[in-house]
Structure formats: C-alpha cells, structure tokens
Amino acid sequence: MRPIRSIKTKLLIRIVISFVIMSIVVQGIVFVSFRALSLGTAEEKALAIAELIRDTITSFMVLGVYDKRDVFIERIKYARGLKELRVIRGKGVSKQFGNSKEGSHTATLIEEKVLETGTVKSELSEDSSAVQYRLVIPYKATTEEQVKCMNCHNVKEGEVLGAVSIVMDLTKQRKEGAATMSYMMAASLIFSFCTLYIIYVFFKPYTALFKKLRSGFEKAQDGDFTERLAVRLIDEAGDVASGFNTMVENLSQALSLISHKVSLLIGYQVAGSGNALKDTSKTVDMLINIYNFKRTIEKDKKKSDIFTRLEQILNTFGINEYSVYEVNQRNNIITTISACGDVSQSDRDNTKEHSNVLWCDNVIVGNAQECRANRTGNMVDSRDFPVICPHFRTEDKVLKSQKGHFCIPLYIGGQVGDVLQIVYNNDRVDEVIGVLPYIKSYLLEGEPVLEAKTFMELLKEQSLVDQLTGLYNRRYLDEISTNLCLQAVRRNTLLGILMIDIDFFKKVNDTYGHDAGDKVLKSIAMLIKTTVRNTDVVIRYGGEEIIVLLTDVVSGKSLELAEKIRQKVEDESIEISGGVLKKTVSIGVSEYPTYGIKFWQCVKYADAALYKAKESGRNKVVMYEHQTQSLKADM
C-alpha cells in the first residue's frame, strides 16, 4: 500500500478519526448517563411507591379497613403505570397471619433474597422488544417511627416484615433514549461535516501552497528554477512563499551569471541541457579539466606531446575519427601529425602511399591553400553546404554520404598553424555538436602553448639548420652523434660516414660570383638529400663540405650509396645566371664501429679518405681501409 503523501488528506483523515472517536465517546457517555438516570428515576419512583404503600397499609391496619388493601394496590399500579405491583409477607408475618392474600408469597429468587437479607435488590430484564426493571424493597420492624410495628406483629426489631415487589416497563424510556441519541448522532455528523468543510476551505490555500512548493523543489532538483509561488496568504505561509521565490530567483541569477562568465571566458555560449545545476557542475568540472590540461601541456617538452594529449581528450569525448594537420605557411605544405578512423580499403591504400593523409585528398599536402580551413581561417562545417570542401574524400560514395566533418583551424603567430579535423557518422551529429564547445575550449587554451612550443622548436631548428642549404649544421651533428652510435651498437648494424667535398668550388665563386656559388651549393645539397633515405642525416660540415650519416647499413652499403651520389652529381646540370654548370664531388667513406670505437675517430678516417680522393684526381669515392692503414679508391 502506497503511503499517503498529501498533507491535506492526512489532516482530514486525522480529523475524521478524532471526530469519530469523540462521537463514540460522547455517545457512550450519554448512553451510560441516560441509562443511569432512567434507572435512578425508576428506583426513586419505586421507593416512593413502596413508602406510600407501607404507610397506607399500616393506616388500613390501624383503621381496621385492611380489606381495602388490594383495591388500593391496583389503583397505585394503574396510576403509576406499573407493570407489576405486589406486597410480599415475611416469614414472621406469614406465621402470624398466614398467606391468605393472593400474591403475598414470594415468586422470584430476588424476592426471596430480599426477605432473607433485608436489602433492596433490583433486576433489569431487556430484549429487543421490551425493557423491564424489577425493584424489591423490604419492610423492617422498627420502634423509631410513630407507628410501632411490634404493637401488631410478633416480631423482633429489625426483622423483615415483608417487601414490595415493583416491576416497571422502561421500553418507552429506552425508545426515547435511542431517539435522543439518534438526534445527537445526526447533530454530531452535521457538525463534523461542517467542521471538515470549514477546515478544508481554510487549509485549501495552504495545501495548494505546499503542493506548489513541492513542485518547485522537485524542479529545482532538476535544475529548473522557473517555478514561482503566488503570495496570497498574509501569515507565515506567505513569508515561506516569498522566501522560496527569492531563493530560486537568486539561484537562477547566480547560475546565469556563472554561465555568462564562462561563455566570456571560453569565447562562446555552451549549449545547455535545461538542467542549470548539472550544466553548471559539468561546466565547472570541464573548466577544471581544461585548466589541468593547460597546466600539463605547459610542462611538455615537444609539440607532439601536446597533440598526443589532445588525442586522449578526443577519445574521452568519444571522438574516434579525426586528423591533426600541421601547416607550413612558408613552404605552403601540410603534414599529417596524427590520423585515426575507419575508411574504405581503397582510401586506406591511398593513405599508405601519400603521407598518411586519412580524410582529405592528397592535393592539400603539396598545396596548403587547397585546405579550406587554412585558406579561410574559419571552422569548416559540412552541415553548412553540400560538399562544402571538395577535398574531404572517401572514394566510397555511400560512405561519403554518411560522413560529416568539422575542420577547426588553430592559429600560430597570427596565421593558421594547425588544423583539427573531426569526422563523424551523420547519426552522431548531435552527440558531436554537444561536445564540440568543450573541444574548442581545449584548443583555445592550448593555442598559446602550441604557439610557444612552435616558436621554441623553430628557434631550435634555426639554430641547428644551415640557412643557405636547409641542411643540418655541425651543432646538430654534436647533438645526435652519440645517439646514432648507440643505436648502431644496439641494433648490431653499421653507421656509414660519407665526407663529401665539391670539386673546384672556389673557382665557381671566383669566376661566376658568390650567388652562383650559393646556387651550386644549394643544388648539390638538395640532390644529396633526395638521394639518401629519410632516416639518413645530411649535414653541412663547413664551407663546401657535406657529411652524410647512413643509419643501419651493412658492410659495403656505404660505399655503394657514396658512388650513387657521386654519379648523380656528375650527371646534374646546374643553371646559373649566364649559363649551365657541371660539377663533381669527391667522397671519403668510413664506417662506425668497423674502423673505430669512437665516432669522431671514424669521422677523421672519412676525412682522410676524402683527402686521398682529392689527391688522386677528384670525382672519386675512397673507402678508408683500417686493417692496412691504407686508402682504397673506387673509380
């Protein structure tokens, strides 16, 4: 059984129960009182009759008209409305005068007890149709009254002379009592209903107030503070209603102010769910997470660490299809930093062949202006227009129609430096839109840190890169040499060292000028860089000397690659102002740790081999031979 929650119902039930109990108690008291009154009145009436009969019969005896007794008793019986009236003789009187008179002997047990005990006895007999009350009153011999009983009777003082047995019909009194109680019951019911109605009308505005209060608190628990109470009661309840209105108004304003300040902080209004409490709690939690995110990435060493954390944030929000691109505005190229998602097999094959670009056509790799987010500097939303970006690719047209995307540019130094691309299934668009503001907040907080890290890496790169050729400089060689040697030892491979010098480079400067010399140096540097692998390191060692470090090579491979470089340079034609130049290079080769356990010792051996190549006619590759302390030339 469900518990009763309505205060009005509870109150009415309690009042009804109280009225019922009170009515029962009152009716019981009235019934007992009426019964006692009726019996008391009957007893008083019987005692009066008994006294009258005693005095009259005594008078009849004195006057010598005792034979008039029966007539007198019948008149008394009729006049008093008695059911039965008899005079009973005691043992002493019966012995003296006998029981010649009809009705003078005992007829009931109660009469015998009265004659034996000399005390008044009563008996009530009632059923559904009638009520009879029998009262038996004894007469005792006494010398204290004017008429001396012992003058006529041969009895002792105090002996029972006889008794008067009176039977009264109280049926009428019972009916009158029942009628009276019915009237009282009806009056009680009418009074109860009137009282309940008055209480109902009186408490109706209070119960309505409580109901509205409950509704208001329930809405407040769900973050809805729109409920207001009408203040109609001029008492404590009215004060409660006013207090509730003030409370929810203050809460609503405070939460709205928090939401407004958050929107100013993050730059846009976050879409709410309608529950102000949960939205505020969620927003505060998110701001704390964003703050912790920013504090964490500020201590990260590299940009790649920041993007790794950003990927973790995307996964937290359920975003599992995305790409992160880095834009090189100076070279107008785009590089994929990371990519995640499930594409068609044909797209996956293309991805393997083209710089790991997952969700866009590879045309953006070589031309950053083809990226709409980079070109416009604004977020690209595929919902704005069909095929808003023609380079968003999936060769499966059905799959393409099921996918949407957001491309969010990140500014570095006043221009687009990175682009976050979020890809989603169209049936998840609402879910993605719901978390997009928070992702933007992370990006907004991360932009200054990314900018700082970018500039730091740029400065470091500039300090390690030769500005003329774009190759690493000798400082970079100092930083990586130890790690490359340890890598070779750990993998049980060789580190090839090529020392390259441009033949007769000084003649170019002297004959054609330094601009031509710079053009020759840059062309040969780029040719060498494109000839070796991405894992190999090309460094401008000084002047026209270039050193190449070949990682994870086997014995003899360094010599083979050096010859390939020499041949390509020899075949290359370099256009300069006023003509075309053909140049050659001389190359010295050594390998670590084949020729020494120290890196710089092997570099020295490569330099010695280069010297031998130049001495023996230039345009040659010479391998340093450690065992014989001699140099082997490869023509």
Side-chain angles (χ1 to χ4, degrees):
M1 182 177 178
R2 292 180 59 187
I4 298 173
R5 298 177 63 91
S6 171
I7 187 172
K8 178 177 68 176
T9 304
K10 289 181 178 180
L11 182 62
L12 291 177
I13 289 175
R14 283 164 173 75
I15 292 174
V16 168
I17 293 174
S18 299
F19 273 129
V20 169
I21 294 173
M22 183 177 67
S23 178
I24 293 173
V25 171
V26 171
Q27 295 295 329
I29 293 173
V30 171
F31 173 76
V32 172
S33 300
F34 186 82
R35 181 186 178 90
L37 179 62
S38 298
L39 295 177
T41 302
E43 185 174 357
E44 289 178 0
K45 181 179 178 180
L47 291 173
I49 293 172
E51 186 176 356
L52 176 63
I53 291 173
R54 183 195 65 181
D55 293 343
T56 302
I57 292 175
T58 302
S59 297
F60 283 169
M61 291 176 67
V62 172
L63 294 175
V65 290
Y66 187 73
D67 56 343
K68 304 294 184 180
R69 187 195 75 154
D70 293 338
V71 176
F72 171 73
I73 290 175
E74 286 297 324
R75 287 182 178 181
I76 291 295
K77 176 182 176 182
Y78 176 77
R80 299 292 184 173
L82 302 178
K83 182 75 174 177
E84 181 182 328
L85 176 59
R86 292 187 308 113
V87 178
I88 307 168
R89 289 181 175 181
K91 293 181 180 180
V93 176
S94 297
K95 185 177 180 182
Q96 182 180 354
F97 298 103
N99 283 327
S100 59
K101 291 289 185 181
E102 184 180 352
S104 298
H105 58 279
T106 58
T108 63
L109 182 62
I110 188 173
E111 292 172 347
E112 293 179 357
K113 288 184 178 181
V114 169
L115 294 177
E116 290 177 1
T117 62
T119 57
V120 178
K121 299 289 184 180
S122 62
E123 183 180 57
L124 185 65
S125 301
E126 59 181 324
D127 53 27
S128 60
S129 60
V131 179
Q132 291 184 356
Y133 181 57
R134 180 184 295 276
L135 189 66
V136 183
I137 306 162
Y139 297 147
K140 294 181 181 180
T142 178
T143 58
E144 296 178 357
E145 298 181 0
Q146 293 180 353
V147 179
K148 306 300 181 182
C149 296
M150 276 74 78
N151 292 338
C152 298
H153 300 286
N154 297 326
V155 294
K156 297 177 182 180
E157 184 175 0
E159 186 177 343
V160 178
L161 299 175
V164 175
S165 179
I166 301 173
V167 177
M168 299 178 182
D169 189 354
L170 300 182
T171 303
K172 182 179 179 181
Q173 286 82 344
R174 186 177 69 173
K175 290 181 178 179
E176 291 175 353
T180 301
M181 293 186 65
S182 299
Y183 297 148
M184 290 183 64
M185 181 67 74
S188 298
L189 289 175
I190 293 173
F191 175 77
S192 299
F193 282 123
C194 291
T195 304
L196 289 175
Y197 178 75
I198 293 172
I199 293 173
Y200 174 80
V201 172
F202 177 76
F203 278 100
K204 186 175 181 179
Y206 292 93
T207 54
L209 173 64
F210 293 148
K211 188 175 181 180
K212 292 286 286 183
L213 270 175
R214 183 174 67 181
S215 174
F217 281 120
E218 288 175 351
K219 288 184 178 180
Q221 288 177 350
D222 294 332
D224 182 359
F225 298 97
T226 59
E227 188 74 38
R228 298 293 184 273
L229 305 181
V231 184
R232 297 190 179 95
L233 299 172
I234 310 174
D235 53 16
E236 291 85 351
D239 295 339
V240 171
S242 299
F244 176 82
N245 291 340
T246 303
M247 178 190 69
V248 295
E249 183 66 28
N250 291 339
L251 280 173
S252 179
Q253 291 179 1
L255 294 176
S256 298
L257 183 61
I258 292 174
S259 177
H260 176 67
K261 289 185 176 180
V262 168
S263 65
L264 293 178
L265 180 64
I266 63 179
Y268 47 84
Q269 185 69 40
V270 178
S273 64
N275 188 326
L277 288 175
K278 289 184 178 179
D279 289 342
T280 302
S281 177
K282 181 179 179 181
T283 300
V284 171
D285 290 341
M286 191 59 65
L287 287 176
I288 293 174
N289 293 336
I290 292 172
Y291 169 75
N292 292 333
F293 170 76
K294 183 178 181 180
R295 187 176 61 177
T296 301
I297 63 176
E298 284 174 345
K299 299 177 182 179
D300 285 335
K301 186 177 181 181
K302 299 176 292 184
K303 276 180 63 177
S304 58
D305 297 335
I306 298 176
F307 285 116
T308 298
R309 299 190 190 280
L310 182 59
E311 291 180 46
Q312 295 172 350
I313 297 298
L314 293 175
N315 292 331
T316 301
F317 285 116
I319 305 299
N320 48 27
E321 294 181 327
Y322 57 85
S323 290
V324 181
Y325 304 108
E326 186 174 39
V327 182
N328 188 325
Q329 297 291 355
R330 183 178 60 182
N331 297 325
N332 194 34
I333 60 174
I334 287 181
T335 305
T336 301
I337 297 177
S338 64
C340 182
D342 185 17
V343 296
S344 64
Q345 186 60 44
S346 58
D347 283 340
R348 190 174 287 111
D349 293 340
N350 289 335
T351 298
K352 293 178 180 178
E353 298 173 3
H354 297 90
S355 306
N356 198 31
V357 179
L358 188 62
W359 295 107
C360 290
D361 289 333
N362 292 290
V363 65
I364 68 171
V365 175
N367 186 359
Q369 289 301 307
E370 293 294 332
C371 173
R372 186 180 184 88
N374 173 55
R375 186 176 69 255
T376 63
N378 297 316
M379 185 180 78
V380 177
D381 185 351
S382 62
R383 300 174 302 155
D384 292 342
F385 198 81
V387 196
I388 189 170
C389 181
H391 300 308
F392 176 69
R393 76 169 169 85
T394 54
E395 294 185 2
D396 186 340
K397 293 183 178 180
V398 175
L399 182 61
K400 188 171 185 178
S401 66
Q402 296 173 350
K403 296 286 186 182
H405 63 95
F406 294 101
C407 293
I408 307 170
L410 281 73
Y411 279 83
I412 306 295
Q415 58 186 358
V416 177
D418 301 284
V419 175
L420 171 63
Q421 182 183 48
I422 297 175
V423 181
Y424 58 87
N425 292 329
N426 289 329
D427 57 0
R428 291 188 60 209
V429 61
D430 293 336
E431 178 185 346
V432 175
I433 292 174
V435 301
L436 191 61
Y438 299 106
I439 295 175
K440 287 183 177 180
S441 298
Y442 280 98
L443 296 178
L444 186 64
E445 292 301 313
E447 273 188 355
V449 183
L450 279 172
E451 185 174 27
K453 301 293 183 185
T454 299
F455 287 143
M456 288 178 62
E457 291 183 1
L458 180 61
L459 289 174
K460 183 177 181 180
E461 181 181 351
Q462 288 176 347
S463 68
L464 300 177
V465 174
D466 177 63
Q467 297 300 309
L468 176 64
T469 61
L471 303 178
Y472 289 112
N473 56 28
R474 187 162 180 171
R475 181 180 175 185
Y476 184 70
L477 177 63
D478 294 336
E479 287 193 6
I480 67 165
S481 59
T482 301
N483 290 335
L484 291 178
C485 291
L486 292 174
Q487 175 180 304
V489 173
R490 185 172 60 253
R491 296 181 179 180
N492 196 26
T493 57
L494 301 178
L495 176 65
I497 302 173
L498 310 183
M499 186 67 76
I500 304 174
D501 184 79
I502 303 175
D503 296 332
F504 304 111
F505 180 74
K506 187 174 183 302
K507 283 187 178 181
V508 177
N509 286 330
D510 294 341
T511 305
Y512 301 101
H514 289 283
D515 290 341
D518 292 345
K519 181 66 179 296
V520 170
L521 187 59
K522 287 194 290 185
S523 298
I524 294 177
M526 185 58 62
L527 182 64
I528 295 172
K529 191 173 182 179
T530 56
T531 302
V532 299
R533 301 165 299 174
N534 290 334
T535 56
D536 298 330
V537 183
V538 183
I539 298 171
R540 184 181 181 187
Y541 195 65
E544 67 273 19
E545 284 188 338
I546 296 173
I547 187 172
V548 180
L549 303 180
L550 307 175
T551 60
D552 296 330
V553 294
V554 296
S555 180
K557 189 68 176 179
S558 300
L559 188 64
E560 179 182 332
L561 188 57
E563 177 57 27
K564 183 178 180 180
I565 292 172
R566 185 201 67 78
Q567 188 63 50
K568 279 198 171 185
V569 172
E570 184 179 14
D571 296 340
E572 182 72 8
S573 297
I574 304 172
E575 294 184 2
I576 61 172
S577 178
V580 175
L581 290 179
K582 302 284 287 184
K583 297 300 296 179
T584 60
V585 293
S586 299
I587 305 175
V589 182
S590 72
E591 293 174 342
Y592 172 88
T594 302
Y595 301 132
I597 59 174
K598 294 183 179 179
F599 172 76
W600 290 107
Q601 184 180 16
C602 293
V603 172
K604 182 179 179 181
Y605 292 154
D607 191 54
L610 171 64
Y611 180 76
K612 183 63 177 178
K614 296 175 74 67
E615 269 193 343
S616 59
R618 293 183 170 82
N619 193 22
K620 292 182 179 180
V621 175
V622 175
M623 170 68 79
Y624 179 77
E625 289 291 344
H626 178 69
Q627 290 83 355
T628 59
Q629 296 293 320
S630 61
L631 297 171
K632 176 182 178 181
D634 182 74
M635 301 301 296

